[in-house]
Amino acid sequence: MGSTMMLNGQDPTDTSSRLNHYFQVDTERQAFIHNILEKVEADAKKINELELDLEDQRKSRIKYQAEANTLETEVQRLARQLEKDSFVVVLIDGDGAKFADEYLRDPSGGAEKVAMKLKQAVRENLRDTGVGQDDIPILVRVYANLNDLSKSLRLSRIIEYDEDMRLFAERFTNSRADFDFVNVGKGKENADSKIRRMLNHYYRNIQCKKIFLAGCCHDNGYLHDLRDYAGPGEDRLVLLETTPAEPAFRTLGFPILRFDEVFRSEPLGNETKHNILSMIPTLRSPVQTSSMPGPIARPMQPIQRPSAATIQEQRRSSTPIPASTTPISAAASSPIQSSSTPDQSTAQLPRASSVISSGNGGTSISYATAGGVNDLQNVTVKAPKPKKQPKVIFYNADNYRIDPPTQHPPRTPAQATYQAKFQAIKPSVFCNDHYLKGRCKWGISCDKTHDAELTGPELAIHRYKARTSLCPAGPYCVDYDCYLSHHCPRSPCTRGDMCPFYDTEKWGDLHLTKDQLQPTTRWTEGVDLPEHTNI
């Protein structure tokens, strides 16, 4: 008979089981506590890192905030400085915009009066548009060919002597410290080039709040230049209309104002648009059918030729047209025989054409219609321009472009004047595209000089200088307007390895032999296929 031994009234097996259970609970508790401690340690480490990052961010924020405050203060200072030093400029082409007659006739006092009137007119416009403060400086620059302007005003009987205009310009310049009347000297483009350069200069200056441009709307000379400044909502540039503006200027979107109290609103007598019929005697003959039978009708009276006094008066009152004229037929002074009916024989007036004189002797005709047998007129018709020859490029048998021969320009005074102009624009240089192609894709953004005037001989010198440079496209250039060289232009070349055409990196030696200079292919602008030639 078996029996289980009891310990303290409990089964030892049960006690052992319970003890194992307690050991397991202790182990789990220890693992739990260990995990908690590890997590607390990791969190403490992370908190410490975050505290360091927070401190770094706090310091950075303080630093950047201080820098931002400094920059904001500097921006405000600059803004105040810009506002304080801001100004408005008035650019006047004096050859196109003339001051009112009342001021020009009084050169001593009129110059100061018109200066004050101009400043008041600009100030009122600025007040209406809310630009700048009331005391913003106003700069005025007048550019004109004083000699020709004086002559035009004298011939129009606005002034009595040429010296009056010079006195007016002097008094105008001395009337205000910011006013200048600049004599640009003789030259068609002198005033224009000054205006273009100054317009570009002031437009780029952010301190210039507004630009008033006067004397530029009477013809289309400035139209293409102003297109570069046009844009949506562009009101910084204001056009001042004196004589009626050409319609194309109104499409640019610039504000157009009139200061009629300052400027002359009508052209001078030698600048007025004339009706060509007022310059040519009207030759008409009322023709009536004779009561006698037969197909021939005779006029009741012969055509009356204008008297010599009448012709002389018309010559004095009209601008001469520098061109050859067709003389009146001798039949105009004899009775005319006609078989036409009275309605058909009535002479029709030729269409009127607009003749515009520049005031300096130049004349242009918009259109002219010469009369037929019933209207014998002295009509000046501008000869049509010769048809422009298409541009061509020649290539040799190796498909190398062949340049036309060039010669060193002769030793003339143009060499010295060109060099003087070249030195005057330094460190800038002449824009090759502008002077040699006639167009520059960069426009007013070009960093090279566009506004220096080069004469024909000076332009030939500049073209020769360009021909001494190698084209970037080398002998494979296809540009019809290319002004550079594609092989050595010198024959013979004596520069040796100093020649830019010697041992080029891409095309080797570009000193062509006599056989290589023989073209075999000719490409013509606008023609899709080449022409083979043995020239």
Side-chain angles (χ1 to χ4, degrees):
M1 166 171 28
S3 62
T4 303
M5 186 175 183
M6 304 296 291
L7 181 62
N8 294 330
Q10 294 182 356
D11 188 351
T13 305
D14 184 53
T15 301
S16 176
S17 174
R18 294 181 64 182
L19 183 61
N20 291 334
H21 173 69
Y22 292 146
F23 282 152
Q24 182 179 358
V25 171
D26 285 343
T27 302
E28 292 177 354
R29 184 179 64 216
Q30 291 294 331
F32 177 72
I33 293 173
H34 182 70
N35 291 338
I36 290 177
L37 291 176
E38 286 183 347
K39 188 174 185 307
V40 169
E41 183 179 357
D43 290 344
K45 184 177 180 181
K46 187 174 182 180
I47 289 172
N48 186 48
E49 293 177 352
L50 291 175
E51 287 178 345
L52 293 176
D53 290 343
L54 179 61
E55 180 66 17
D56 182 66
Q57 292 295 324
R58 187 181 67 82
K59 292 180 179 179
S60 298
R61 181 179 59 80
I62 293 175
K63 175 185 176 182
Y64 293 141
Q65 190 172 20
E67 291 180 357
N69 290 336
T70 302
L71 292 175
E72 184 177 357
T73 302
E74 181 68 12
V75 168
Q76 293 175 354
R77 185 189 69 81
L78 291 175
R80 288 193 299 269
Q81 189 70 23
L82 288 176
E83 192 66 26
K84 177 183 177 183
D85 296 337
S86 61
F87 62 92
V88 171
V89 67
V90 182
L91 299 176
I92 303 174
D93 185 340
D95 295 332
K98 283 85 173 174
F99 291 111
D101 296 357
E102 57 188 281
Y103 305 116
L104 295 174
R105 289 193 173 104
D106 179 17
S108 298
E112 296 183 3
K113 291 178 182 178
V114 75
M116 182 177 65
K117 282 285 186 181
L118 177 59
K119 190 171 183 179
Q120 290 176 349
V122 172
R123 188 79 69 192
E124 290 176 3
N125 177 262
L126 296 178
R127 194 176 297 116
D128 294 339
T129 56
V131 175
Q133 58 273 21
D134 289 340
D135 59 346
I136 185 171
I138 299 175
L139 280 65
V140 177
R141 301 289 182 265
V142 184
Y143 300 99
N145 177 358
L146 206 54
N147 291 335
D148 287 350
L149 178 59
S150 301
K151 180 180 178 181
S152 295
L153 293 173
R154 177 172 52 81
L155 293 177
S156 298
R157 299 188 178 183
I158 305 300
I159 60 177
E160 293 185 8
Y161 307 101
D162 290 359
E163 191 61 32
D164 291 346
M165 189 61 219
R166 296 184 180 89
L167 178 60
F168 179 92
E170 179 182 331
R171 293 297 178 88
F172 184 88
T173 299
N174 294 329
S175 65
R176 301 285 189 279
D178 296 330
F179 283 35
D180 288 314
F181 198 116
V182 182
N183 179 17
V184 298
K186 192 171 184 63
K188 183 178 180 299
E189 294 295 329
N190 287 0
D192 296 3
S193 64
K194 290 282 187 182
I195 292 289
R196 292 186 179 98
R197 188 62 176 262
M198 290 296 100
L199 174 60
N200 184 34
H201 169 74
Y202 287 119
Y203 193 84
R204 291 170 179 265
N205 191 334
I206 60 175
Q207 292 178 291
C208 183
K209 299 300 181 182
K210 195 173 280 286
I211 303 172
F212 293 85
L213 195 60
C216 302
C217 304
H218 64 288
D219 60 32
N220 292 325
Y222 289 93
L223 186 61
H224 295 293
D225 299 280
L226 292 178
R227 284 199 178 105
D228 294 331
Y229 301 94
E234 176 56 56
D235 59 354
R236 189 172 166 222
L237 179 59
V238 178
L239 303 182
L240 295 181
E241 181 184 32
T242 55
T243 55
E246 292 292 325
F249 284 93
R250 303 189 183 277
T251 65
L252 298 178
F254 298 114
I256 299 180
L257 305 178
R258 294 187 65 91
F259 290 169
D260 288 333
E261 293 185 356
V262 177
F263 296 105
R264 202 174 201 276
S265 59
E266 295 294 333
L268 295 177
N270 55 346
E271 294 176 331
T272 308
K273 291 187 178 181
H274 303 286
N275 187 313
I276 197 168
L277 295 181
S278 66
M279 301 168 59
I280 305 173
T282 302
L283 301 179
R284 297 184 59 186
S285 60
V287 181
Q288 298 181 0
T289 306
S290 173
S291 59
M292 297 177 62
I296 300 177
R298 301 180 183 274
M300 297 299 294
Q301 59 184 3
I303 297 176
Q304 299 296 323
R305 292 176 60 87
S307 65
T310 303
I311 295 176
Q312 187 66 22
E313 178 63 26
Q314 289 172 340
R315 287 178 178 175
R316 285 197 299 264
S317 62
S318 62
T319 302
I321 303 175
S324 61
T325 60
T326 303
I328 298 178
S329 171
S333 61
S334 61
I336 298 177
Q337 296 182 355
S338 172
S339 60
S340 59
T341 64
D343 292 337
Q344 292 172 331
S345 61
T346 302
Q348 296 181 351
L349 291 176
R351 181 175 55 173
S353 71
S354 178
V355 180
I356 306 174
S357 169
S358 67
N360 299 325
T363 307
S364 62
I365 300 182
S366 300
Y367 60 83
T369 303
V373 295
N374 294 327
D375 279 304
L376 300 174
Q377 304 280 350
N378 280 338
V379 179
T380 301
V381 180
K382 189 175 181 180
K385 293 182 179 180
K387 186 177 180 181
K388 189 176 181 180
Q389 294 296 325
K391 301 171 184 175
V392 297
I393 299 178
F394 291 97
Y395 293 89
N396 64 10
D398 297 325
N399 286 327
Y400 275 24
R401 178 167 176 167
I402 306 300
D403 297 325
T406 184
Q407 292 183 349
H408 193 285
R411 297 293 179 182
T412 63
Q415 297 278 359
T417 57
Y418 173 83
Q419 191 62 27
K421 293 178 181 179
F422 181 75
Q423 294 294 331
I425 65 170
K426 281 187 173 182
S428 181
V429 295
F430 296 120
C431 176
N432 284 338
D433 283 356
H434 174 75
Y435 286 100
L436 301 182
K437 281 189 175 181
R439 61 187 183 277
C440 175
K441 64 180 179 180
W442 301 109
I444 62 173
S445 301
C446 182
D447 58 353
K448 298 178 178 62
T449 295
H450 284 198
D451 53 10
E453 183 178 359
L454 295 181
T455 64
E458 292 170 349
L459 197 60
I461 295 172
H462 187 67
R463 187 176 298 278
Y464 177 80
K465 286 172 62 71
R467 281 291 304 273
T468 61
S469 300
L470 175 61
C471 174
Y476 301 111
C477 175
V478 295
D479 183 3
Y480 285 95
D481 293 321
C482 185
Y483 43 76
L484 303 174
S485 284
H486 309 89
H487 55 79
C488 183
R490 300 177 180 88
S491 179
C493 179
T494 58
R495 302 191 62 186
D497 57 2
M498 298 298 294
C499 180
F501 300 89
Y502 175 81
D503 195 20
T504 62
E505 182 179 353
K506 294 182 180 180
W507 307 288
D509 189 6
L510 290 180
H511 289 82
L512 304 186
T513 65
K514 184 177 181 180
D515 291 337
Q516 289 176 317
L517 288 174
Q518 297 301 317
T520 59
T521 306
R522 174 171 58 199
W523 285 85
T524 304
E525 187 177 23
V527 179
D528 295 333
L529 296 176
E531 177 184 354
H532 298 285
T533 176
N534 294 323
I535 296 177

